[in-house]
Amino acid sequence: IDDMPRDWTVEILQETGGPPGRRGLHNSKGVGEANIQLGFSAYFAVKEAIRAIRAERGLDPNRFELPFPAMTHDILAACDDS
């Protein structure tokens, strides 16, 4: 594997005085914000696909509910009015 470093030294940072997370990962964008937004992008892409399918079938493209998280049966049900 070419993209893995040969020397992968990991060091646990000790908390210093002050609020927790002032030094280290918890004070950065690497804690989960990007991952949550990535999940939202998939959810909204599915909603747009449902709108397109409904419009193609002659149904109102904005008249459906899609729960979050959306399961396969929720997506299929949103594509049709029956």
Side-chain angles (χ1 to χ4, degrees):
I1 300 174
D2 294 331
D3 60 349
M4 188 168 181
R6 292 187 187 278
D7 180 19
W8 193 316
T9 305
V10 177
E11 186 177 318
I12 304 297
L13 297 175
Q14 299 298 319
E15 289 292 335
T16 60
R22 292 287 293 171
R23 177 180 167 217
L25 185 64
H26 294 290
N27 201 30
S28 73
K29 297 290 184 190
V31 179
E33 290 177 17
N35 298 333
I36 291 171
Q37 292 173 359
L38 188 60
F40 286 149
S41 67
Y43 173 77
F44 288 113
V46 168
K47 281 187 82 166
E48 287 301 313
I50 292 169
R51 283 189 183 99
I53 289 168
R54 289 180 63 84
E56 202 173 88
R57 292 179 176 179
L59 302 171
D60 184 352
N62 297 311
R63 191 175 172 198
F64 68 93
E65 291 184 20
L66 188 64
F68 186 85
M71 300 301 182
T72 307
H73 63 273
D74 300 319
I75 296 168
L76 290 173
C79 292
D80 200 5
D81 279 344
S82 58

